[in-house]
Amino acid sequence: MTTLVLVSHPQLADSTSQQFLKESLPDDDIIWEHIESLSSLDVAQEQAQLRRADRIILQFPLYWYAAPAGLKQWEDTVLTRTFVYGDHRYPLADKELGIVVTTGMPRQAFQRGGAEGVTLDAALAPLAALAHRAQMRWLPVFPIYQFGYLEEPEKLQLVVDYQRYLTQPQPDSLANRQDWFAQRLDGMVARLAEDQRTTGRLIASVFEQNREQIDQLHDTLAMIKEQDDD
Amino acid sequence: MTEQSQWLSQQIDQLAAQQEKFTDRAFWLALKQVVAEQDRRSEQLGGEVDGRTWRPDRW
């Protein structure tokens, strides 16, 4: 799966959250682009990139309940009517559109009655409408509230949650989560120092046993339910 | 949490603590959470199997 991450931020180098996310990028097939760094927008190249990707991520800080102006300019230039739907070819159809949005306010601000009085889903409605028009699949938004206040355990969690948002098949079920980790476990064990590999392999084997046990329990339950129906 | 899960959780914590790279540490700690979730799911599914098998009306 190819994931295209389009980052919009007017001062990327000054943003600790964006630098953190860049450092957290997984080793998978990821194309990363910072919109404001492009000296000019090569429409054909941008559109080709969109065609290549299976999952497209728009990543930005929330400025007045919307993406920064750079992203809007990119949309208005690259997403021409003919490209998105005009010729009825729908080149973006069935691709997934995900939004990674950072906010300066906490989670509870983004609800009715909260300090912002609007949910993120409501604020990002224009992008969801775009996904709908392009026949794309809209992913649940990935919000990062008040990055500056996150403690180390939360940041550690954010690394993997972000990686999974970029590369893990949806929906975010236990089965899909298990598959995601299973695909990476061998590689992660191989990265361990030699004296740690036995522990790593042991952890991997317990993980695998647990996975099989859950599968078996599902099978047993399905059998019981089938008998109950008879 | 079973004794085995507790032991495994400690093993993962130790392994994570030995990783120099932040993203490597993050991977192992996130895996620990999935293992804990596996435990919970197994227990719940096991409970459901027991519950559905225990049917005095079919005796």
Side-chain angles (χ1 to χ4, degrees), chain A residues 5 7-26 32 34 37 59-61 100 102 144 147-148 155 158-159 162-163, chain B residues 22-23:
Chain A
V5 183
V7 181
S8 176
H9 195 295
Q11 278 111 25
L12 193 73
D14 297 339
S15 164
T16 50
S17 56
Q18 294 300 333
Q19 295 303 324
F20 180 89
L21 294 176
K22 197 173 176 194
E23 292 295 318
S24 303
L25 286 174
W32 185 94
H34 176 226
S37 292
Q59 182 174 305
F60 52 84
V100 175
T102 60
I144 302 169
F147 176 82
K155 285 186 177 166
L158 176 59
V159 169
Y162 176 66
Q163 291 182 344
Chain B
F22 194 76
T23 48

PDB file of all heavy atoms in Angstrom, chain A residues 5 7-26 32 34 37 59-61 100 102 144 147-148 155 158-159 162-163, chain B residues 22-23:
ATOM      1  N   VAL A   5       1.573  11.418   2.101  1.00  0.00           N
ATOM      2  CA  VAL A   5       1.334  12.350   3.209  1.00  0.00           C
ATOM      3  C   VAL A   5       1.610  13.761   2.709  1.00  0.00           C
ATOM      4  O   VAL A   5       2.748  14.097   2.362  1.00  0.00           O
ATOM      5  CB  VAL A   5       2.249  12.035   4.416  1.00  0.00           C
ATOM      6  CG1 VAL A   5       1.943  12.966   5.584  1.00  0.00           C
ATOM      7  CG2 VAL A   5       2.103  10.584   4.850  1.00  0.00           C
ATOM      8  N   VAL A   7       1.757  17.476   3.775  1.00  0.00           N
ATOM      9  CA  VAL A   7       1.810  18.295   4.985  1.00  0.00           C
ATOM     10  C   VAL A   7       1.657  19.762   4.597  1.00  0.00           C
ATOM     11  O   VAL A   7       2.317  20.235   3.670  1.00  0.00           O
ATOM     12  CB  VAL A   7       3.157  18.102   5.722  1.00  0.00           C
ATOM     13  CG1 VAL A   7       3.196  18.929   6.995  1.00  0.00           C
ATOM     14  CG2 VAL A   7       3.395  16.631   6.020  1.00  0.00           C
ATOM     15  N   SER A   8       0.785  20.454   5.300  1.00  0.00           N
ATOM     16  CA  SER A   8       0.662  21.886   5.088  1.00  0.00           C
ATOM     17  C   SER A   8       0.947  22.601   6.399  1.00  0.00           C
ATOM     18  O   SER A   8       0.262  22.378   7.406  1.00  0.00           O
ATOM     19  CB  SER A   8      -0.744  22.232   4.595  1.00  0.00           C
ATOM     20  OG  SER A   8      -0.876  23.636   4.481  1.00  0.00           O
ATOM     21  N   HIS A   9       1.979  23.403   6.391  1.00  0.00           N
ATOM     22  CA  HIS A   9       2.346  24.183   7.585  1.00  0.00           C
ATOM     23  C   HIS A   9       3.214  25.342   7.121  1.00  0.00           C
ATOM     24  O   HIS A   9       4.208  25.118   6.420  1.00  0.00           O
ATOM     25  CB  HIS A   9       3.106  23.305   8.585  1.00  0.00           C
ATOM     26  CG  HIS A   9       3.203  23.918   9.953  1.00  0.00           C
ATOM     27  ND1 HIS A   9       3.905  25.084  10.191  1.00  0.00           N
ATOM     28  CD2 HIS A   9       2.685  23.539  11.135  1.00  0.00           C
ATOM     29  CE1 HIS A   9       3.800  25.387  11.478  1.00  0.00           C
ATOM     30  NE2 HIS A   9       3.054  24.472  12.070  1.00  0.00           N
ATOM     31  N   PRO A  10       2.856  26.569   7.451  1.00  0.00           N
ATOM     32  CA  PRO A  10       3.631  27.712   6.930  1.00  0.00           C
ATOM     33  C   PRO A  10       5.053  27.777   7.487  1.00  0.00           C
ATOM     34  O   PRO A  10       5.936  28.323   6.838  1.00  0.00           O
ATOM     35  CB  PRO A  10       2.804  28.933   7.354  1.00  0.00           C
ATOM     36  CG  PRO A  10       1.848  28.443   8.391  1.00  0.00           C
ATOM     37  CD  PRO A  10       1.664  26.983   8.201  1.00  0.00           C
ATOM     38  N   GLN A  11       5.277  27.263   8.679  1.00  0.00           N
ATOM     39  CA  GLN A  11       6.647  27.256   9.240  1.00  0.00           C
ATOM     40  C   GLN A  11       6.981  25.874   9.785  1.00  0.00           C
ATOM     41  O   GLN A  11       7.030  25.659  10.999  1.00  0.00           O
ATOM     42  CB  GLN A  11       6.791  28.285  10.376  1.00  0.00           C
ATOM     43  CG  GLN A  11       7.044  29.692   9.921  1.00  0.00           C
ATOM     44  CD  GLN A  11       5.871  30.593  10.198  1.00  0.00           C
ATOM     45  OE1 GLN A  11       5.080  30.325  11.108  1.00  0.00           O
ATOM     46  NE2 GLN A  11       5.726  31.639   9.421  1.00  0.00           N
ATOM     47  N   LEU A  12       7.238  24.971   8.891  1.00  0.00           N
ATOM     48  CA  LEU A  12       7.416  23.574   9.280  1.00  0.00           C
ATOM     49  C   LEU A  12       8.580  23.373  10.257  1.00  0.00           C
ATOM     50  O   LEU A  12       8.471  22.617  11.216  1.00  0.00           O
ATOM     51  CB  LEU A  12       7.637  22.722   8.027  1.00  0.00           C
ATOM     52  CG  LEU A  12       7.513  21.220   8.267  1.00  0.00           C
ATOM     53  CD1 LEU A  12       6.062  20.822   8.479  1.00  0.00           C
ATOM     54  CD2 LEU A  12       8.108  20.436   7.104  1.00  0.00           C
ATOM     55  N   ALA A  13       9.680  24.053   9.994  1.00  0.00           N
ATOM     56  CA  ALA A  13      10.878  23.851  10.814  1.00  0.00           C
ATOM     57  C   ALA A  13      10.636  24.252  12.266  1.00  0.00           C
ATOM     58  O   ALA A  13      11.275  23.737  13.183  1.00  0.00           O
ATOM     59  CB  ALA A  13      12.034  24.645  10.232  1.00  0.00           C
ATOM     60  N   ASP A  14       9.712  25.169  12.492  1.00  0.00           N
ATOM     61  CA  ASP A  14       9.438  25.643  13.853  1.00  0.00           C
ATOM     62  C   ASP A  14       8.390  24.792  14.566  1.00  0.00           C
ATOM     63  O   ASP A  14       8.077  25.041  15.732  1.00  0.00           O
ATOM     64  CB  ASP A  14       8.913  27.090  13.826  1.00  0.00           C
ATOM     65  CG  ASP A  14       9.953  28.039  13.259  1.00  0.00           C
ATOM     66  OD1 ASP A  14      11.144  27.660  13.272  1.00  0.00           O
ATOM     67  OD2 ASP A  14       9.573  29.123  12.797  1.00  0.00           O
ATOM     68  N   SER A  15       7.823  23.828  13.870  1.00  0.00           N
ATOM     69  CA  SER A  15       6.739  23.068  14.468  1.00  0.00           C
ATOM     70  C   SER A  15       7.257  21.777  15.087  1.00  0.00           C
ATOM     71  O   SER A  15       7.689  20.863  14.383  1.00  0.00           O
ATOM     72  CB  SER A  15       5.684  22.742  13.405  1.00  0.00           C
ATOM     73  OG  SER A  15       4.839  21.722  13.875  1.00  0.00           O
ATOM     74  N   THR A  16       7.222  21.693  16.419  1.00  0.00           N
ATOM     75  CA  THR A  16       7.730  20.481  17.080  1.00  0.00           C
ATOM     76  C   THR A  16       6.830  19.279  16.768  1.00  0.00           C
ATOM     77  O   THR A  16       7.317  18.166  16.616  1.00  0.00           O
ATOM     78  CB  THR A  16       7.823  20.654  18.606  1.00  0.00           C
ATOM     79  OG1 THR A  16       6.573  21.166  19.071  1.00  0.00           O
ATOM     80  CG2 THR A  16       8.926  21.591  19.010  1.00  0.00           C
ATOM     81  N   SER A  17       5.534  19.528  16.651  1.00  0.00           N
ATOM     82  CA  SER A  17       4.640  18.397  16.375  1.00  0.00           C
ATOM     83  C   SER A  17       4.900  17.840  14.974  1.00  0.00           C
ATOM     84  O   SER A  17       4.989  16.629  14.784  1.00  0.00           O
ATOM     85  CB  SER A  17       3.175  18.809  16.525  1.00  0.00           C
ATOM     86  OG  SER A  17       2.882  19.908  15.697  1.00  0.00           O
ATOM     87  N   GLN A  18       5.079  18.716  13.993  1.00  0.00           N
ATOM     88  CA  GLN A  18       5.318  18.234  12.624  1.00  0.00           C
ATOM     89  C   GLN A  18       6.689  17.550  12.516  1.00  0.00           C
ATOM     90  O   GLN A  18       6.823  16.556  11.803  1.00  0.00           O
ATOM     91  CB  GLN A  18       5.217  19.392  11.612  1.00  0.00           C
ATOM     92  CG  GLN A  18       3.820  19.989  11.488  1.00  0.00           C
ATOM     93  CD  GLN A  18       2.757  18.978  11.042  1.00  0.00           C
ATOM     94  OE1 GLN A  18       3.043  18.003  10.365  1.00  0.00           O
ATOM     95  NE2 GLN A  18       1.517  19.193  11.448  1.00  0.00           N
ATOM     96  N   GLN A  19       7.667  18.067  13.229  1.00  0.00           N
ATOM     97  CA  GLN A  19       8.982  17.412  13.213  1.00  0.00           C
ATOM     98  C   GLN A  19       8.889  16.042  13.862  1.00  0.00           C
ATOM     99  O   GLN A  19       9.488  15.071  13.403  1.00  0.00           O
ATOM    100  CB  GLN A  19      10.031  18.273  13.943  1.00  0.00           C
ATOM    101  CG  GLN A  19      10.328  19.601  13.266  1.00  0.00           C
ATOM    102  CD  GLN A  19      10.790  19.447  11.820  1.00  0.00           C
ATOM    103  OE1 GLN A  19      11.493  18.507  11.486  1.00  0.00           O
ATOM    104  NE2 GLN A  19      10.368  20.353  10.949  1.00  0.00           N
ATOM    105  N   PHE A  20       8.125  15.965  14.934  1.00  0.00           N
ATOM    106  CA  PHE A  20       7.927  14.687  15.639  1.00  0.00           C
ATOM    107  C   PHE A  20       7.267  13.679  14.700  1.00  0.00           C
ATOM    108  O   PHE A  20       7.689  12.519  14.608  1.00  0.00           O
ATOM    109  CB  PHE A  20       7.037  14.912  16.877  1.00  0.00           C
ATOM    110  CG  PHE A  20       6.758  13.665  17.672  1.00  0.00           C
ATOM    111  CD1 PHE A  20       7.602  13.259  18.690  1.00  0.00           C
ATOM    112  CD2 PHE A  20       5.633  12.893  17.389  1.00  0.00           C
ATOM    113  CE1 PHE A  20       7.329  12.097  19.419  1.00  0.00           C
ATOM    114  CE2 PHE A  20       5.362  11.731  18.109  1.00  0.00           C
ATOM    115  CZ  PHE A  20       6.214  11.338  19.125  1.00  0.00           C
ATOM    116  N   LEU A  21       6.243  14.110  13.993  1.00  0.00           N
ATOM    117  CA  LEU A  21       5.524  13.203  13.084  1.00  0.00           C
ATOM    118  C   LEU A  21       6.440  12.753  11.945  1.00  0.00           C
ATOM    119  O   LEU A  21       6.397  11.610  11.518  1.00  0.00           O
ATOM    120  CB  LEU A  21       4.257  13.874  12.537  1.00  0.00           C
ATOM    121  CG  LEU A  21       3.173  14.177  13.577  1.00  0.00           C
ATOM    122  CD1 LEU A  21       2.013  14.918  12.937  1.00  0.00           C
ATOM    123  CD2 LEU A  21       2.671  12.894  14.244  1.00  0.00           C
ATOM    124  N   LYS A  22       7.289  13.658  11.498  1.00  0.00           N
ATOM    125  CA  LYS A  22       8.209  13.292  10.410  1.00  0.00           C
ATOM    126  C   LYS A  22       9.182  12.211  10.878  1.00  0.00           C
ATOM    127  O   LYS A  22       9.466  11.258  10.171  1.00  0.00           O
ATOM    128  CB  LYS A  22       8.968  14.532   9.934  1.00  0.00           C
ATOM    129  CG  LYS A  22       9.599  14.306   8.584  1.00  0.00           C
ATOM    130  CD  LYS A  22      10.206  15.548   8.001  1.00  0.00           C
ATOM    131  CE  LYS A  22      10.887  15.173   6.682  1.00  0.00           C
ATOM    132  NZ  LYS A  22      11.767  16.227   6.210  1.00  0.00           N
ATOM    133  N   GLU A  23       9.664  12.380  12.120  1.00  0.00           N
ATOM    134  CA  GLU A  23      10.569  11.372  12.695  1.00  0.00           C
ATOM    135  C   GLU A  23       9.862  10.040  12.917  1.00  0.00           C
ATOM    136  O   GLU A  23      10.501   8.997  12.998  1.00  0.00           O
ATOM    137  CB  GLU A  23      11.118  11.860  14.050  1.00  0.00           C
ATOM    138  CG  GLU A  23      12.062  13.038  13.982  1.00  0.00           C
ATOM    139  CD  GLU A  23      13.346  12.688  13.256  1.00  0.00           C
ATOM    140  OE1 GLU A  23      13.872  11.595  13.505  1.00  0.00           O
ATOM    141  OE2 GLU A  23      13.797  13.495  12.416  1.00  0.00           O
ATOM    142  N   SER A  24       8.551  10.086  13.065  1.00  0.00           N
ATOM    143  CA  SER A  24       7.775   8.873  13.371  1.00  0.00           C
ATOM    144  C   SER A  24       7.346   8.114  12.123  1.00  0.00           C
ATOM    145  O   SER A  24       6.754   7.043  12.230  1.00  0.00           O
ATOM    146  CB  SER A  24       6.508   9.244  14.159  1.00  0.00           C
ATOM    147  OG  SER A  24       6.846   9.923  15.331  1.00  0.00           O
ATOM    148  N   LEU A  25       7.624   8.658  10.940  1.00  0.00           N
ATOM    149  CA  LEU A  25       7.153   7.997   9.713  1.00  0.00           C
ATOM    150  C   LEU A  25       7.625   6.552   9.676  1.00  0.00           C
ATOM    151  O   LEU A  25       8.784   6.264   9.954  1.00  0.00           O
ATOM    152  CB  LEU A  25       7.689   8.738   8.472  1.00  0.00           C
ATOM    153  CG  LEU A  25       7.044  10.072   8.133  1.00  0.00           C
ATOM    154  CD1 LEU A  25       7.790  10.724   6.971  1.00  0.00           C
ATOM    155  CD2 LEU A  25       5.569   9.904   7.775  1.00  0.00           C
ATOM    156  N   PRO A  26       6.740   5.627   9.317  1.00  0.00           N
ATOM    157  CA  PRO A  26       7.154   4.219   9.245  1.00  0.00           C
ATOM    158  C   PRO A  26       8.015   3.963   8.007  1.00  0.00           C
ATOM    159  O   PRO A  26       8.096   4.815   7.116  1.00  0.00           O
ATOM    160  CB  PRO A  26       5.814   3.484   9.131  1.00  0.00           C
ATOM    161  CG  PRO A  26       4.854   4.474   8.587  1.00  0.00           C
ATOM    162  CD  PRO A  26       5.330   5.829   8.990  1.00  0.00           C
ATOM    163  N   TRP A  32       6.190  11.539   1.175  1.00  0.00           N
ATOM    164  CA  TRP A  32       5.970  12.661   2.111  1.00  0.00           C
ATOM    165  C   TRP A  32       6.261  13.964   1.375  1.00  0.00           C
ATOM    166  O   TRP A  32       7.289  14.081   0.716  1.00  0.00           O
ATOM    167  CB  TRP A  32       6.896  12.483   3.310  1.00  0.00           C
ATOM    168  CG  TRP A  32       6.718  13.476   4.403  1.00  0.00           C
ATOM    169  CD1 TRP A  32       5.945  13.357   5.511  1.00  0.00           C
ATOM    170  CD2 TRP A  32       7.358  14.764   4.513  1.00  0.00           C
ATOM    171  NE1 TRP A  32       6.049  14.472   6.301  1.00  0.00           N
ATOM    172  CE2 TRP A  32       6.898  15.354   5.712  1.00  0.00           C
ATOM    173  CE3 TRP A  32       8.252  15.467   3.709  1.00  0.00           C
ATOM    174  CZ2 TRP A  32       7.320  16.607   6.135  1.00  0.00           C
ATOM    175  CZ3 TRP A  32       8.666  16.730   4.130  1.00  0.00           C
ATOM    176  CH2 TRP A  32       8.206  17.281   5.331  1.00  0.00           C
ATOM    177  N   HIS A  34       5.903  18.367   1.662  1.00  0.00           N
ATOM    178  CA  HIS A  34       5.509  19.577   2.381  1.00  0.00           C
ATOM    179  C   HIS A  34       5.079  20.616   1.345  1.00  0.00           C
ATOM    180  O   HIS A  34       5.903  21.103   0.552  1.00  0.00           O
ATOM    181  CB  HIS A  34       6.681  20.100   3.233  1.00  0.00           C
ATOM    182  CG  HIS A  34       6.361  21.389   3.912  1.00  0.00           C
ATOM    183  ND1 HIS A  34       7.218  22.462   3.923  1.00  0.00           N
ATOM    184  CD2 HIS A  34       5.249  21.780   4.582  1.00  0.00           C
ATOM    185  CE1 HIS A  34       6.650  23.464   4.582  1.00  0.00           C
ATOM    186  NE2 HIS A  34       5.468  23.074   5.000  1.00  0.00           N
ATOM    187  N   SER A  37       6.801  24.016   0.838  1.00  0.00           N
ATOM    188  CA  SER A  37       8.194  23.995   0.383  1.00  0.00           C
ATOM    189  C   SER A  37       8.307  23.931  -1.131  1.00  0.00           C
ATOM    190  O   SER A  37       9.387  24.129  -1.686  1.00  0.00           O
ATOM    191  CB  SER A  37       8.929  22.772   0.949  1.00  0.00           C
ATOM    192  OG  SER A  37       9.072  22.890   2.323  1.00  0.00           O
ATOM    193  N   GLN A  59      -2.216  16.561   6.278  1.00  0.00           N
ATOM    194  CA  GLN A  59      -1.725  16.765   7.644  1.00  0.00           C
ATOM    195  C   GLN A  59      -1.434  18.240   7.865  1.00  0.00           C
ATOM    196  O   GLN A  59      -0.664  18.844   7.122  1.00  0.00           O
ATOM    197  CB  GLN A  59      -0.462  15.918   7.793  1.00  0.00           C
ATOM    198  CG  GLN A  59       0.176  15.951   9.161  1.00  0.00           C
ATOM    199  CD  GLN A  59       1.336  14.970   9.236  1.00  0.00           C
ATOM    200  OE1 GLN A  59       1.193  13.790   8.960  1.00  0.00           O
ATOM    201  NE2 GLN A  59       2.506  15.470   9.607  1.00  0.00           N
ATOM    202  N   PHE A  60      -2.047  18.801   8.901  1.00  0.00           N
ATOM    203  CA  PHE A  60      -1.902  20.254   9.091  1.00  0.00           C
ATOM    204  C   PHE A  60      -2.356  20.672  10.490  1.00  0.00           C
ATOM    205  O   PHE A  60      -3.089  19.948  11.149  1.00  0.00           O
ATOM    206  CB  PHE A  60      -2.746  21.004   8.043  1.00  0.00           C
ATOM    207  CG  PHE A  60      -4.184  20.553   7.994  1.00  0.00           C
ATOM    208  CD1 PHE A  60      -5.128  21.052   8.866  1.00  0.00           C
ATOM    209  CD2 PHE A  60      -4.595  19.588   7.057  1.00  0.00           C
ATOM    210  CE1 PHE A  60      -6.456  20.622   8.819  1.00  0.00           C
ATOM    211  CE2 PHE A  60      -5.913  19.151   7.005  1.00  0.00           C
ATOM    212  CZ  PHE A  60      -6.846  19.677   7.892  1.00  0.00           C
ATOM    213  N   PRO A  61      -1.944  21.861  10.908  1.00  0.00           N
ATOM    214  CA  PRO A  61      -2.491  22.418  12.152  1.00  0.00           C
ATOM    215  C   PRO A  61      -3.823  23.100  11.828  1.00  0.00           C
ATOM    216  O   PRO A  61      -3.995  23.611  10.717  1.00  0.00           O
ATOM    217  CB  PRO A  61      -1.436  23.457  12.555  1.00  0.00           C
ATOM    218  CG  PRO A  61      -0.800  23.879  11.262  1.00  0.00           C
ATOM    219  CD  PRO A  61      -0.888  22.709  10.326  1.00  0.00           C
ATOM    220  N   VAL A 100      -4.799  14.230   9.400  1.00  0.00           N
ATOM    221  CA  VAL A 100      -4.060  14.329  10.664  1.00  0.00           C
ATOM    222  C   VAL A 100      -4.046  15.811  11.024  1.00  0.00           C
ATOM    223  O   VAL A 100      -3.455  16.622  10.316  1.00  0.00           O
ATOM    224  CB  VAL A 100      -2.615  13.799  10.523  1.00  0.00           C
ATOM    225  CG1 VAL A 100      -1.830  14.022  11.812  1.00  0.00           C
ATOM    226  CG2 VAL A 100      -2.628  12.315  10.155  1.00  0.00           C
ATOM    227  N   THR A 102      -3.560  18.843  13.971  1.00  0.00           N
ATOM    228  CA  THR A 102      -3.093  19.213  15.309  1.00  0.00           C
ATOM    229  C   THR A 102      -3.874  20.448  15.759  1.00  0.00           C
ATOM    230  O   THR A 102      -4.217  21.310  14.936  1.00  0.00           O
ATOM    231  CB  THR A 102      -1.584  19.529  15.311  1.00  0.00           C
ATOM    232  OG1 THR A 102      -1.337  20.619  14.419  1.00  0.00           O
ATOM    233  CG2 THR A 102      -0.762  18.340  14.858  1.00  0.00           C
ATOM    234  N   ILE A 144      -4.593  15.393  16.921  1.00  0.00           N
ATOM    235  CA  ILE A 144      -3.559  15.454  17.964  1.00  0.00           C
ATOM    236  C   ILE A 144      -3.803  16.761  18.717  1.00  0.00           C
ATOM    237  O   ILE A 144      -3.562  17.850  18.195  1.00  0.00           O
ATOM    238  CB  ILE A 144      -2.140  15.444  17.359  1.00  0.00           C
ATOM    239  CG1 ILE A 144      -1.945  14.183  16.505  1.00  0.00           C
ATOM    240  CG2 ILE A 144      -1.074  15.518  18.452  1.00  0.00           C
ATOM    241  CD1 ILE A 144      -0.690  14.194  15.652  1.00  0.00           C
ATOM    242  N   PHE A 147      -0.207  19.035  21.376  1.00  0.00           N
ATOM    243  CA  PHE A 147       1.008  18.209  21.333  1.00  0.00           C
ATOM    244  C   PHE A 147       2.017  18.649  22.407  1.00  0.00           C
ATOM    245  O   PHE A 147       2.656  17.811  23.034  1.00  0.00           O
ATOM    246  CB  PHE A 147       1.650  18.290  19.940  1.00  0.00           C
ATOM    247  CG  PHE A 147       2.941  17.548  19.846  1.00  0.00           C
ATOM    248  CD1 PHE A 147       2.948  16.178  19.636  1.00  0.00           C
ATOM    249  CD2 PHE A 147       4.161  18.207  19.995  1.00  0.00           C
ATOM    250  CE1 PHE A 147       4.138  15.471  19.566  1.00  0.00           C
ATOM    251  CE2 PHE A 147       5.357  17.504  19.930  1.00  0.00           C
ATOM    252  CZ  PHE A 147       5.343  16.139  19.718  1.00  0.00           C
ATOM    253  N   GLY A 148       2.128  19.933  22.599  1.00  0.00           N
ATOM    254  CA  GLY A 148       3.114  20.472  23.534  1.00  0.00           C
ATOM    255  C   GLY A 148       2.930  19.988  24.968  1.00  0.00           C
ATOM    256  O   GLY A 148       3.879  20.008  25.765  1.00  0.00           O
ATOM    257  N   LYS A 155       3.494  10.383  24.000  1.00  0.00           N
ATOM    258  CA  LYS A 155       4.229  10.566  22.744  1.00  0.00           C
ATOM    259  C   LYS A 155       4.624   9.220  22.155  1.00  0.00           C
ATOM    260  O   LYS A 155       4.588   9.025  20.935  1.00  0.00           O
ATOM    261  CB  LYS A 155       5.471  11.428  22.971  1.00  0.00           C
ATOM    262  CG  LYS A 155       5.142  12.891  23.146  1.00  0.00           C
ATOM    263  CD  LYS A 155       6.400  13.724  23.221  1.00  0.00           C
ATOM    264  CE  LYS A 155       6.033  15.193  23.316  1.00  0.00           C
ATOM    265  NZ  LYS A 155       7.147  16.016  23.722  1.00  0.00           N
ATOM    266  N   LEU A 158       1.675   7.888  20.559  1.00  0.00           N
ATOM    267  CA  LEU A 158       1.365   8.643  19.340  1.00  0.00           C
ATOM    268  C   LEU A 158       2.164   8.124  18.134  1.00  0.00           C
ATOM    269  O   LEU A 158       1.643   8.030  17.023  1.00  0.00           O
ATOM    270  CB  LEU A 158       1.645  10.142  19.573  1.00  0.00           C
ATOM    271  CG  LEU A 158       1.460  11.075  18.386  1.00  0.00           C
ATOM    272  CD1 LEU A 158       0.033  11.017  17.836  1.00  0.00           C
ATOM    273  CD2 LEU A 158       1.816  12.516  18.771  1.00  0.00           C
ATOM    274  N   VAL A 159       3.435   7.762  18.378  1.00  0.00           N
ATOM    275  CA  VAL A 159       4.290   7.260  17.282  1.00  0.00           C
ATOM    276  C   VAL A 159       3.585   6.118  16.556  1.00  0.00           C
ATOM    277  O   VAL A 159       3.419   6.139  15.334  1.00  0.00           O
ATOM    278  CB  VAL A 159       5.652   6.754  17.822  1.00  0.00           C
ATOM    279  CG1 VAL A 159       6.412   6.008  16.731  1.00  0.00           C
ATOM    280  CG2 VAL A 159       6.492   7.898  18.349  1.00  0.00           C
ATOM    281  N   TYR A 162       0.083   6.879  14.991  1.00  0.00           N
ATOM    282  CA  TYR A 162       0.264   7.628  13.742  1.00  0.00           C
ATOM    283  C   TYR A 162       0.716   6.693  12.617  1.00  0.00           C
ATOM    284  O   TYR A 162       0.181   6.725  11.512  1.00  0.00           O
ATOM    285  CB  TYR A 162       1.290   8.734  13.987  1.00  0.00           C
ATOM    286  CG  TYR A 162       1.666   9.541  12.768  1.00  0.00           C
ATOM    287  CD1 TYR A 162       0.732  10.357  12.143  1.00  0.00           C
ATOM    288  CD2 TYR A 162       2.960   9.499  12.247  1.00  0.00           C
ATOM    289  CE1 TYR A 162       1.074  11.110  11.023  1.00  0.00           C
ATOM    290  CE2 TYR A 162       3.323  10.253  11.142  1.00  0.00           C
ATOM    291  CZ  TYR A 162       2.370  11.055  10.530  1.00  0.00           C
ATOM    292  OH  TYR A 162       2.721  11.796   9.430  1.00  0.00           O
ATOM    293  N   GLN A 163       1.676   5.833  12.915  1.00  0.00           N
ATOM    294  CA  GLN A 163       2.152   4.880  11.904  1.00  0.00           C
ATOM    295  C   GLN A 163       1.008   3.994  11.426  1.00  0.00           C
ATOM    296  O   GLN A 163       0.889   3.709  10.235  1.00  0.00           O
ATOM    297  CB  GLN A 163       3.263   3.995  12.481  1.00  0.00           C
ATOM    298  CG  GLN A 163       4.547   4.754  12.754  1.00  0.00           C
ATOM    299  CD  GLN A 163       5.656   3.855  13.269  1.00  0.00           C
ATOM    300  OE1 GLN A 163       5.415   2.725  13.699  1.00  0.00           O
ATOM    301  NE2 GLN A 163       6.879   4.350  13.233  1.00  0.00           N
TER     302      GLN A 163
ATOM    303  N   PHE B  22      13.692   5.952  19.851  1.00  0.00           N
ATOM    304  CA  PHE B  22      12.371   6.267  20.404  1.00  0.00           C
ATOM    305  C   PHE B  22      11.269   5.466  19.705  1.00  0.00           C
ATOM    306  O   PHE B  22      10.380   4.910  20.351  1.00  0.00           O
ATOM    307  CB  PHE B  22      12.113   7.772  20.233  1.00  0.00           C
ATOM    308  CG  PHE B  22      10.967   8.293  21.039  1.00  0.00           C
ATOM    309  CD1 PHE B  22      11.094   8.503  22.406  1.00  0.00           C
ATOM    310  CD2 PHE B  22       9.762   8.589  20.432  1.00  0.00           C
ATOM    311  CE1 PHE B  22      10.038   9.002  23.153  1.00  0.00           C
ATOM    312  CE2 PHE B  22       8.697   9.086  21.170  1.00  0.00           C
ATOM    313  CZ  PHE B  22       8.836   9.294  22.532  1.00  0.00           C
ATOM    314  N   THR B  23      11.362   5.372  18.366  1.00  0.00           N
ATOM    315  CA  THR B  23      10.297   4.686  17.616  1.00  0.00           C
ATOM    316  C   THR B  23      10.326   3.174  17.881  1.00  0.00           C
ATOM    317  O   THR B  23       9.286   2.527  17.841  1.00  0.00           O
ATOM    318  CB  THR B  23      10.420   4.952  16.102  1.00  0.00           C
ATOM    319  OG1 THR B  23      11.773   4.745  15.708  1.00  0.00           O
ATOM    320  CG2 THR B  23      10.017   6.375  15.756  1.00  0.00           C
TER     321      THR B  23
END
